[in-house]
């Protein structure tokens, strides 16, 4: 692996991606890579303020989508792009596919408007359209995720949505994967933590040797 890599992690709430992202950060560092570990919405002081609003205030779907993309623009220019320019491995807990899945799939917001916003927001000096090199999708049936979440902390605005919302989010991810099959690695999160970790490493190794 000789160049900067941008890896995003996706899935419905309760899919259990956080522990694996942290594990991967250590995994890369043990192999001598510099890692930037970050998340969306958020990753900068201003984008974290947008996150606070997006996750806890109810709002019109367009406002919500704009807020996600506003946070993304801020994050891209101030964290992701500089990290990639330094040659870091960037591990990002959610990126633009989450907007398509949650606002597009879950909320039913206009897909083509999201595509226009994506083109505008992800155009950066280094490239016409910044996208992750690899997106690991922790896929889980919403019923299983709901069971896992029921024992977790107080739910935020999205986590408290009904099952049907998450079915639509899942379909949103599937639609994104269909459009960019090479970028996506779909992993079943409905197995033991060790099983998921093995699949994550396999996806990383496969992407690096491709
Ligand atoms: P999440 O990444 O699951 O963090 P935590 O583990 O701290 O809850 O929470 C972010 C929430 O924001 C999640 O419910 C998905 C939602 N979201 C969107 O609706 N659109 C987006 O574009 C992004 C990045 C996240």
């Amino acid at each position: 692996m000789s160049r900067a890599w941008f890896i995003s992690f996706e899935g419905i709430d309760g899919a259990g991606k956080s522990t694996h992202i942290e594990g991967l950060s250590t995994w890369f560092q043990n192999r001598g890579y510099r890692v930037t570990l970050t998340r969306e919405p958020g990753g900068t002081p201003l984008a974290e303020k947008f996150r606070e609003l997006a996750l806890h205030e109810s709002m019109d779907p367009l406002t919500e989508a704009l807020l996600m993309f506003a946070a993304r623009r801020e994050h891209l220019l101030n964290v992701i792009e500089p990290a990639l320019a330094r040659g870091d491995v960037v591990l990002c807990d959610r990126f633009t596919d989450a907007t398509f899945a949650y606002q597009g799939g879950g909320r039913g917001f206009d897909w083509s408007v999201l595509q226009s916003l994506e083109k505008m927001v992800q155009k950066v000096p280094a490239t016409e359209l910044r996208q992750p090199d690899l997106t690991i999708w922790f896929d889980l049936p919403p019923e299983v995720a709901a069971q896992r979440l029921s024992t977790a902390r107080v739910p935020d605005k999205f986590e408290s949505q009904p099952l049907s919302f998450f079915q639509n989010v899942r379909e949103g991810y599937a639609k994104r994967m269909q459009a960019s099959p090479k970028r996506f690695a779909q992993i079943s999160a409905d197995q033991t933590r060790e099983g998921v970790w093995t699949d994550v490493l396999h996806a990383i190794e496969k992407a690096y040797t491709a």
Side-chain angles (χ1 to χ4, degrees):
M1 198 178 117
S2 56
R3 65 181 176 94
W5 268 76
F6 177 19
I7 308 175
S8 65
F9 302 86
E10 299 285 355
I12 60 172
D13 293 272
K17 56 190 164 51
S18 305
T19 48
H20 296 293
I21 300 172
E22 275 164 33
L24 264 189
S25 173
T26 308
W27 188 87
F28 275 113
Q29 286 175 54
N30 288 344
R31 279 157 187 76
Y33 296 103
R34 263 195 63 155
V35 172
T36 291
L37 181 61
T38 189
R39 68 170 182 183
E40 288 210 351
T44 76
L46 178 57
E48 289 290 332
K49 288 186 185 169
F50 294 158
R51 177 190 178 94
E52 193 52 34
L53 294 171
L55 266 58
H56 300 289
E57 305 285 340
S58 65
M59 60 188 74
D60 158 79
L62 173 59
T63 310
E64 192 175 275
L66 290 172
L67 209 45
M68 296 299 179
F69 274 115
R72 181 156 306 125
R73 182 75 183 164
E74 180 66 16
H75 186 217
L76 256 183
L77 295 182
N78 293 298
V79 175
I80 297 179
E81 290 302 316
L84 292 175
R86 283 196 301 271
D88 285 15
V89 172
V90 175
L91 304 179
C92 192
D93 189 345
R94 300 190 185 281
F95 191 63
T96 202
D97 300 305
T99 312
F100 284 85
Y102 279 77
Q103 282 65 52
R107 298 266 191 246
F109 186 71
D110 192 327
W111 201 266
S112 63
V113 173
L114 297 180
Q115 285 172 318
S116 303
L117 290 169
E118 176 184 41
K119 285 200 189 99
M120 244 185 279
V121 166
Q122 290 159 232
K123 183 176 192 305
V124 290
T127 175
E128 273 298 299
L129 181 66
R130 175 63 73 195
Q131 291 290 17
D133 298 295
L134 171 67
T135 296
I136 298 186
W137 173 23
F138 295 87
D139 187 31
L140 188 67
E143 307 77 44
V144 181
Q147 261 171 358
R148 289 187 188 173
L149 281 178
S150 65
T151 54
R153 58 201 172 171
V154 184
D156 64 33
K157 193 176 94 183
F158 294 104
E159 287 163 350
S160 52
Q161 291 291 322
L163 211 57
S164 59
F165 176 86
F166 289 106
Q167 273 151 358
N168 293 334
V169 171
R170 191 186 194 194
E171 278 169 27
Y173 279 127
K175 189 168 164 187
R176 284 290 280 182
M177 186 170 91
Q178 227 170 25
S180 308
K182 281 201 197 133
R183 174 164 68 81
F184 270 83
Q186 181 182 12
I187 286 175
S188 167
D190 194 8
Q191 51 175 332
T192 61
R193 190 173 288 188
E194 294 70 28
V196 177
W197 177 245
T198 304
D199 286 357
V200 168
L201 285 187
H202 185 241
I204 300 276
E205 278 155 9
K206 195 170 156 217
Y208 288 148
T209 50

